[in-house]
Amino acid sequence: MVSAQLHFLCLLTLYLTCGYGEEGKFSGPLKPMTFSIFEGQEPSQVIFQFKTNPPAVTFELTGETDGIFKIEKDGLLYHTRALDRETRAVHHLQLAALDSHGAIVDGPVPITIEVKDINDNRPTFLQSKYEGSVRQNSRPGKPFMYVNATDLDDPATPNGQLFYQIVIQLPQINDVMYFQIDSKTGAISLTPEGSQELDPVKNPSYNLVVSVKDMGGQSENSFSDTTYVDISIRENIWKAPEPVEIRENSTDPHPIKITQVQWNDPGAQYSLVNKEKLSPFPFSIDQEGNIYVTQALDREEKNSHVFFATAKDENGKPLAYPLEIYVKVIDINDNPPTCLSPVTVFEVQENEPLGNSIGIFEAHDMDEANNINSILKYKLVDQTPKVPSDGLFLIGEYEGKVQLSKQSLKKQDSPQYNLSIEVSDVDFKTLCYIQVNVIDINDQIPIFETSNYGSKTLSEDTAIGSTILIIQATDADEPFTGSSKILYKIVQGDTEGRLEVVTDPTTNAGYVKIKKPLDFETQPVSSIVFQAENPEPLVKGIEYNASSFASFELIVTDVNEVPVFPQRIFQANVSEDAAVGSRVGNVTARDPEGLTVSYSLKGNMRGWLKIDSVTGEIFSAAPLDRETESVYRVQVVATEVGGYSLSSTADFHLVLTDVNDNPPRLAKDYTGLFFCHPLSAPGSLIFEVTDDDQQSLRRPKFTFALGREGLQSDWEVSKINGTHARLSTRHTRFEEQVYNIPIRINDGGQPPMEGTVFLPVTFCQCVEGSCFRPAGRQDGIPTVGMAVGILLTTFLVIGIILAVVFIRMRKDKVENPQSPENKPLRS
């Protein structure tokens, strides 16, 4: 009766694991045991009943009972009031069995009571208000402060797992959160938007309301608490410094401090990034953020430097974005002027008016441009020869413009003058040289040696580039100058530009050459007129006259030429179902001599085309089929009628457009389809179809159906997409054989084409997932019965042979008795 009551009590107790000991029973012998009990349960809850064996009659409970745990004489262990895990999470008890005299007869044994946590404590923040600060442009995601809350519940259970979140941000601009919090640690940091937008000038402070929930924030029944966070925004001091200017080639001791960067908080590790890959890199930084130049710089080698300063934490992670450091190298006057060339050559015509510019002389200074160090002054210090007098030239002090200063020059006085020019900057002087060549003025015109070069007869197939005539004119001006150089041009008789004249620079001879093909049919005779002229303009008062012109007659003779097609390839499009005899295209050719042209076809391998020999019209001569050949290529031969029967060819391409004239078919061989027999469940197989017509840009859309209505009780065909379908069984009652399933397929074309295909499906016994098919009897291979018969016959023959041999040996022994020692050997 007591056992039944105990069982009833255990069933009523909520979450009562105590009703079961380590062996999952309500009662049992005295032995070490551990029980788990939820805190907060009603008192007088039964835990376990220990049983005794005589002479034990009662029990004694000691240890951390805290006045809560009791045991009755009959071994009934229970607790008298609710447990509190936060007061004591584990109770260590000792239990002994006593006899009637109070002596211990069994034990004591350890009894452990583990108090399991329930969510009976709300989380609380350590402070009702937190204050913090952050620099503007701080790295997003890097914590700058923490909020902390505690929960007395077991942190190993969801009851003690805390979840932080920001509930309110004030001000909140454009609904953008500038702050974020780690939901597990309470670490507050900037969002990417906050890193970019925070500005102490606009909003020097922000207020946050932060909540914390237990149960990991995942339960509606979780407890929560809130706190306030005041955050002040401080100005970011991690800023790129102003550009630095360093005077080049400094002789001061190095390194020299040039600027400084500073992270917002102490402890940052600074470094420089040499993105220009300079070697050696002439800058360094110490751990105070001071940046130094470590050697003298040369502006002419590199006039500025750009590199970056970085700040990292103790783990080597960047604290913010790198800062650009710009260093400008200030010029000093450390380079003398240089001449652009050893000698600068100018030319001046004789009789050039006074003041005319002969040329602009330039020198160079490697110091900084547009700077006092690179401004150059020019001074003429010598003239050779000094005839007819000295001081014939002058030069602009800063511009470098060379001019005639006294009188015009005459070549007979001196054909050449050498000038010495002093070029100076603030500190340096350099001597440069100018050579002035006095050139003859163009006061003589070219004169042809003859005004008529007669006639020249050429065939119209004369090769391009051939020289057909050499013409010659002379000029009395100074040789090898622009005044005496002769250029020839054709001014009459060659409107098509078939000829050109190339001048020999040494002899001034003109080589008349073929530039474009000659054509008897368009211009059999041409009267060509040449003009000779100088590249330099003639002086005032001198004009070209008839002496600078010459002519000759070009006669072109006819050459029989092949017919000419207007294009190399002709193409036509036609539907593949065009009727035999339909006109599909037209080809024409022209004979240059005006002869009649006859047409024929070449390479008409399939005999699909024929051509009208007179008009060049092309017709279909047989049914066309795009699936056999989508582009049919032939050659058209044009032959002149009469003359030498010369011919030429052109290509004719007939592009066949598709007509839906092919029924659907299976895309591949499906002879290997099978199901393992017997079927355990309805199965399915997937197959693919296609057809030979041209596929459009959209995927083909085939429809599928069973070929016979009588198959619908056993089979089902369903469409997967435009080209694939699934054949499924409707039941499992199939025999072990091959089924040929007809499938009707429609391609949905214009007009629609329909075809029926057969899928052979085998039901067979399977071995390791593969279909097992017993091999049938083949010619020359015996059956099992025949093999057994052959084997028995072989054994019978061997037995008969052995019996005959044995009988013969016995007979020989009787007829010829011999002792073993004297037995003769038998051959």
Side-chain angles (χ1 to χ4, degrees):
M1 184 66 181
V2 173
S3 177
Q5 290 176 347
L6 289 173
H7 182 64
F8 178 74
L9 288 173
C10 286
L11 291 176
L12 291 179
T13 303
L14 183 63
Y15 300 107
L16 187 58
T17 59
C18 63
Y20 300 88
E22 291 177 343
E23 296 182 355
K25 299 179 180 179
F26 294 108
S27 61
L30 181 64
K31 63 178 181 179
M33 297 191 73
T34 299
F35 302 96
S36 297
I37 303 174
F38 280 105
E39 65 175 329
Q41 290 187 357
E42 295 296 327
S44 301
Q45 298 292 331
V46 176
I47 300 174
F48 197 75
Q49 184 173 23
F50 293 94
K51 295 183 178 181
T52 62
N53 295 317
V57 295
T58 186
F59 293 92
E60 181 183 35
L61 183 65
T62 60
E64 300 171 343
T65 63
D66 295 344
I68 299 174
F69 298 98
K70 305 289 185 181
I71 191 165
E72 298 294 331
K73 290 182 179 181
D74 59 0
L76 190 65
L77 178 66
Y78 62 98
H79 59 92
T80 60
R81 65 175 185 267
L83 303 180
D84 184 9
R85 191 200 66 83
E86 288 71 39
T87 302
R88 190 187 297 274
V90 179
H91 295 264
H92 298 283
L93 310 177
Q94 300 288 326
L95 184 60
L98 309 178
D99 61 14
S100 59
H101 302 289
I104 297 175
V105 297
D106 192 3
V109 298
I111 305 298
T112 303
I113 307 296
E114 297 176 346
V115 183
K116 298 182 67 176
D117 186 50
I118 64 172
N119 191 24
D120 57 347
N121 293 279
R122 64 174 293 186
T124 57
F125 279 103
L126 300 182
Q127 300 174 212
S128 61
K129 184 177 182 180
Y130 291 83
E131 293 182 352
S133 64
V134 63
R135 297 270 185 188
Q136 67 178 138
N137 304 125
S138 293
R139 184 160 59 92
K142 179 175 176 58
F144 61 86
M145 67 176 297
Y146 290 82
V147 294
N148 302 100
T150 59
D151 192 312
L152 296 177
D153 290 320
D154 187 358
T157 67
N159 303 328
Q161 294 178 1
L162 303 183
F163 179 84
Y164 298 92
Q165 67 180 124
I166 297 175
V167 180
I168 299 174
Q169 169 191 297
L170 294 175
Q172 185 169 342
I173 302 170
N174 298 327
D175 293 328
V176 176
M177 294 295 291
Y178 291 161
F179 303 91
Q180 58 188 352
I181 190 168
D182 189 301
S183 61
K184 294 182 179 179
T185 65
I188 299 177
S189 62
L190 295 182
T191 64
E193 294 80 4
S195 176
Q196 295 291 326
E197 299 297 334
L198 286 182
D199 187 345
V201 176
K202 296 179 179 178
N203 289 293
S205 64
Y206 286 81
N207 306 109
L208 306 180
V209 176
V210 178
S211 74
V212 62
K213 296 181 180 180
D214 59 16
M215 303 295 287
Q218 302 300 314
S219 173
E220 295 181 357
N221 299 321
S222 59
F223 294 113
S224 64
D225 191 18
T226 58
T227 189
Y228 299 93
V229 181
D230 293 340
I231 302 174
S232 60
I233 311 303
R234 293 185 294 163
E235 182 183 3
N236 178 26
I237 61 175
W238 179 249
K239 296 181 179 179
E242 294 295 324
V244 179
E245 294 185 349
I246 301 176
R247 188 172 297 277
E248 67 172 328
N249 297 323
S250 172
T251 58
D252 295 337
H254 287 77
I256 300 173
K257 179 181 176 180
I258 58 175
T259 189
Q260 183 181 17
V261 295
Q262 187 176 358
W263 176 241
N264 297 311
D265 301 304
Q269 298 177 1
Y270 300 102
S271 61
L272 298 181
V273 178
N274 174 20
K275 288 198 172 183
E276 294 179 331
K277 307 300 181 185
L278 297 180
S279 180
F281 183 55
F283 302 96
S284 65
I285 189 171
D286 62 20
Q287 290 313 301
E288 298 300 323
N290 297 313
I291 299 176
Y292 302 87
V293 59
T294 58
Q295 65 186 49
L297 304 180
D298 184 359
R299 193 206 66 85
E300 286 70 43
E301 181 179 324
K302 189 170 179 60
N303 60 11
S304 65
H305 297 264
V306 178
F307 53 93
F308 294 86
T310 65
K312 299 180 180 179
D313 61 17
E314 62 278 4
N315 299 317
K317 293 184 178 179
L319 293 168
Y321 304 103
L323 300 181
E324 181 180 274
I325 311 298
Y326 178 80
V327 176
K328 179 180 179 182
V329 184
I330 302 301
D331 184 49
I332 65 173
N333 192 23
D334 57 347
N335 291 280
T338 57
C339 309
L340 296 182
S341 61
V343 177
T344 301
V345 178
F346 292 142
E347 288 186 345
V348 59
Q349 286 187 343
E350 57 182 352
N351 297 329
E352 188 82 17
L354 292 181
N356 277 16
S357 173
I358 296 174
I360 304 295
F361 176 76
E362 287 183 296
H364 179 65
D365 194 309
M366 292 183 63
D367 291 317
E368 184 177 359
N370 302 316
N371 183 285
I372 187 64
N373 299 323
S374 62
I375 293 179
L376 302 181
K377 293 175 66 175
Y378 302 97
K379 180 181 179 182
L380 178 60
V381 296
D382 187 43
Q383 168 196 313
T384 303
K386 297 178 174 59
V387 292
S389 66
D390 195 5
L392 295 176
F393 305 90
L394 60 83
I395 187 169
E397 185 176 16
Y398 292 102
E399 184 183 4
K401 182 178 180 180
V402 180
Q403 297 172 284
L404 292 175
S405 65
K406 283 188 176 181
Q407 64 185 60
S408 298
L409 304 179
K410 292 185 178 181
K411 189 171 182 180
Q412 56 266 33
D413 291 337
S414 177
Q416 182 182 97
Y417 292 89
N418 295 310
L419 308 179
S420 298
I421 307 297
E422 180 186 87
V423 185
S424 61
D425 60 17
V426 175
D427 300 306
F428 298 95
K429 294 180 180 180
T430 301
L431 206 59
C432 298
Y433 301 96
I434 298 176
Q435 177 181 304
V436 179
N437 294 326
V438 182
I439 61 175
D440 185 31
I441 60 174
N442 191 15
D443 56 357
Q444 301 292 324
I445 64 172
I447 299 174
F448 273 102
E449 62 180 8
T450 179
S451 62
N452 191 336
Y453 285 90
S455 63
K456 189 76 173 179
T457 301
L458 301 173
S459 63
E460 62 179 333
D461 62 352
T462 301
I464 293 176
S466 301
T467 299
I468 63 173
L469 180 66
I470 299 176
I471 57 179
Q472 182 73 62
T474 58
D475 192 300
D477 288 312
E478 182 183 359
F480 306 111
T481 65
S483 299
S484 62
K485 182 179 179 179
I486 300 176
L487 300 179
Y488 300 96
K489 64 180 182 180
I490 299 173
V491 295
Q492 183 178 321
D494 186 25
T495 56
E496 298 295 328
R498 301 182 188 276
L499 304 178
E500 65 177 348
V501 184
V502 179
T503 301
D504 186 317
T506 302
T507 65
N508 270 339
Y511 293 85
V512 183
K513 297 184 177 184
I514 303 295
K515 185 179 180 181
K516 294 181 180 179
L518 304 177
D519 188 7
F520 169 81
E521 286 71 28
T522 59
Q523 195 167 5
V525 178
S526 301
S527 295
I528 308 298
V529 177
F530 304 105
Q531 180 185 359
E533 60 184 9
N534 303 126
E536 284 288 333
L538 297 172
V539 297
K540 188 176 181 180
I542 304 298
E543 300 290 341
Y544 295 108
N545 57 37
S547 299
S548 299
F549 293 86
S551 64
F552 93 107
E553 184 179 56
L554 175 62
I555 301 173
V556 180
T557 60
D558 187 30
V559 173
N560 194 16
E561 299 171 275
V562 299
V564 178
F565 287 96
Q567 60 198 64
R568 291 280 301 142
I569 299 176
F570 295 83
Q571 180 172 306
N573 296 348
V574 67
S575 175
E576 65 174 325
D577 64 348
V580 175
S582 299
R583 182 182 182 277
V584 298
N586 185 63
V587 175
T588 59
R590 177 187 62 83
D591 184 73
E593 286 73 40
L595 298 177
T596 302
V597 176
S598 175
Y599 302 96
S600 62
L601 294 180
K602 181 180 178 181
N604 188 18
M605 305 303 294
R606 300 188 183 278
W608 284 359
L609 301 177
K610 62 181 178 180
I611 189 169
D612 187 307
S613 62
V614 176
T615 65
E617 291 182 300
I618 300 175
F619 302 88
S620 62
L624 307 175
D625 185 15
R626 189 203 66 84
E627 287 70 39
T628 301
E629 196 163 352
S630 60
V631 179
Y632 189 54
R633 296 174 173 86
V634 297
Q635 284 187 319
V636 177
V637 181
T639 305
E640 63 181 13
V641 179
Y644 296 96
S645 299
L646 299 179
S647 64
S648 61
T649 60
D651 294 323
F652 179 77
H653 296 173
L654 183 63
V655 180
L656 300 179
T657 57
D658 188 48
V659 172
N660 194 33
D661 57 352
N662 289 277
R665 60 177 176 81
L666 291 174
K668 59 182 178 180
D669 183 18
Y670 285 97
T671 56
L673 302 177
F674 71 91
F675 290 110
C676 293
H677 186 274
L679 278 178
S680 59
S684 64
L685 300 167
I686 295 175
F687 62 94
E688 180 185 2
V689 299
T690 185
D691 68 23
D692 296 318
D693 290 315
Q694 185 177 16
Q695 301 298 330
S696 62
L697 294 178
R698 60 183 181 86
R699 292 180 60 83
K701 294 183 179 179
F702 296 106
T703 58
F704 307 87
L706 289 172
R708 296 198 303 270
E709 293 185 0
L711 297 174
Q712 295 180 357
S713 60
D714 299 326
W715 301 90
E716 178 184 11
V717 63
S718 57
K719 180 178 179 179
I720 297 176
N721 55 33
T723 57
H724 292 73
R726 179 181 286 107
L727 178 65
S728 307
T729 62
R730 287 186 176 272
H731 56 77
T732 61
R733 304 181 304 277
F734 289 90
E735 297 181 4
E736 189 175 355
Q737 66 178 50
V738 178
Y739 293 81
N740 284 305
I741 311 302
I743 308 294
R744 190 170 65 251
I745 309 168
N746 190 298
D747 64 7
Q750 295 294 332
M753 295 294 293
E754 188 172 272
T756 300
V757 300
F758 289 86
L759 286 177
V761 182
T762 303
F763 287 82
C764 57
Q765 297 183 13
C766 291
V767 176
E768 297 181 353
S770 299
C771 187
F772 173 73
R773 297 181 178 87
R777 182 177 180 274
Q778 300 180 14
D779 293 340
I781 299 178
T783 63
V784 175
M786 293 173 62
V788 173
I790 293 171
L791 186 60
L792 293 176
T793 301
T794 302
F795 286 153
L796 179 59
V797 171
I798 294 173
I800 293 173
I801 294 173
L802 292 175
V804 172
V805 172
F806 179 74
I807 294 171
R808 179 66 180 275
M809 290 175 64
R810 294 276 295 180
K811 183 176 179 181
D812 289 345
K813 186 174 182 182
V814 172
E815 292 177 354
N816 302 301
Q818 300 264 354
S819 65
E821 294 81 0
N822 299 323
K823 184 176 181 180
L825 293 173
R826 294 181 59 86
S827 59

